[in-house]
Amino acid sequence: MTLRVELFEGSESEWDACVRASDGWTHFHRCGWRTVIEQVFGHECLYLAARDHAGLVVGVLPLVHAKSLFFGNYLISMPFVNYGGPLGSETAVSALVQNAVDIARGRQVDLLELRSREPLGLDVPVSHRKITCLLDLEAGNSESVWTRLSSNVRRKVRHAQKEGFVVSFGPEHLHGFYEVFSRHMRDLGTPTLPRHFFETLLLRFPEDIWVGCAYHDSRPVAGGFGFHWSGEFELTWVSALRDYHRSYANMLLYWAFIERATNHDLRVFNFGRCTPGGGTHRFKQQWGSRDVPLPWYHPVAGRRAETPSPHERAFAWGPVVWKRLPLAVTNALGPAIVRMIP
C-alpha cells in the first residue's frame, strides 16, 4: 500500500480519530498538544500524517523542534512528557519515521528521539534508560486496591490522615499545586516549568486533567497534576514539601489519586516515568506497581546520544547553583531555561 506522508493541516477530530484507533496511544498524542507547545514554549511543531490512497489518515507522528545554543538541537516526540512516537500500521509507522529522519538530517539536529510507549520493530538504536510503573486497578472497587497494599503503606496513609492532612481535587487547586511544585523543583536544583503551561493545559483539556493538593491547616504541602485516557490515569507531575516528609502527606496524596482513579472506573494507575533502581523507582514499587520499559528510539543521533540531563558532567554545576537561589528568582528564570531542555 502506497502512503503519502505530509505535514498535517486537517482538523483535530481527524487527527484524534486516528490516534484513538491506534494501539499504544496516549493523551500526549492528541492534536491539541500542538497548540499548547507552540503557545507556551514557542517551539515549532511538525505534526506528520500518513494518508492512504483515499486520503484517510492511517498514521500520525507529533514532532517538536526544540533548539538552543547551550543545550542542543532536538527533534522530539514528545518533549516534557513521557510518551510520543508514531502511531498507526506497521507500514505507516515506517513511512512516518523515514520522513522524520529526512527532516532531522535536513535540519542537522543533534538527536531525533521518539518516546514510544510500545516496541515499534524499528531497526534503529533504542534506549531503555527510563521506565514507567503501572498499578492495575479493579474498576469501581477501591477497597480491593487498599487491601492489596502493604501494611507499611497503609500505615503511612493513615498517619497522614490522623495528622489532619486533607486532599482536595479540582482546577481551583492549581495555585496550591504550583506553589509546591515550583519550590520542590528549586530544592532539586531543576528549573521549573512555567505556571502558564499548566494553565494552558487546563484550558485546552478541562475534562482530561485532575489537579489534587494535600493541605495542612490550609497550607498546600503536596500536589499532583495528571491526565486520564482510555481507562488509565497518569500522575504526570507530583511534588511534596520536604518539611512534611515524615508526616507522609505525599503518601496520602498518592492514595487519594489512586482511590479517585478506581472510583472513576479506570483500570490502570500510571505513576509516571523514572530511572530504574533510583529512589523514585523504589518509592513507586512500594505501591505494588509493575515496571514497564519505555523504548525511546533514536533514528538520528548527531553529537548527542540522549537528551540533556543535570547528571551529566557538563551540566552538573547547574543544580548546585540553582538550589541556592531564592524561589522568586528560580520561578522567574526557570521557565526560560526549561523550555530548552526537552
Side-chain angles (χ1 to χ4, degrees), residues 165-186:
F165 294 94
V166 177
V167 177
S168 298
F169 290 95
E172 66 272 18
H173 298 287
L174 178 64
H175 176 78
F177 159 77
Y178 194 76
E179 181 179 326
V180 175
F181 177 75
S182 60
R183 181 177 293 275
H184 182 67
M185 291 297 102
R186 191 279 309 270

Side-chain angles (χ1 to χ4, degrees), residues 5 86 98 122 138 147 156 181 188 207 257-258 265 281 298 309:
V5 176
Q98 183 56 57
L122 300 175
E138 184 178 331
T147 56
K156 290 176 180 178
F181 177 75
L188 290 176
E207 303 300 323
F257 270 105
I258 292 171
D265 293 331
H281 183 203
H298 299 145
S309 165

Side-chain angles (χ1 to χ4, degrees), residues 243-264:
D243 292 347
Y244 293 85
H245 178 71
R246 294 187 179 275
S247 300
Y248 304 120
N250 62 327
M251 298 293 289
L252 178 61
L253 179 76
Y254 269 91
W255 168 245
F257 270 105
I258 292 171
E259 183 179 41
R260 181 181 174 91
T262 305
N263 291 338
H264 278 73

Side-chain angles (χ1 to χ4, degrees), residues 128-142:
H128 292 289
R129 65 188 177 100
K130 296 295 182 181
I131 62 172
T132 191
C133 299
L134 304 181
L135 177 66
D136 296 310
L137 308 176
E138 184 178 331
N141 189 354
S142 59

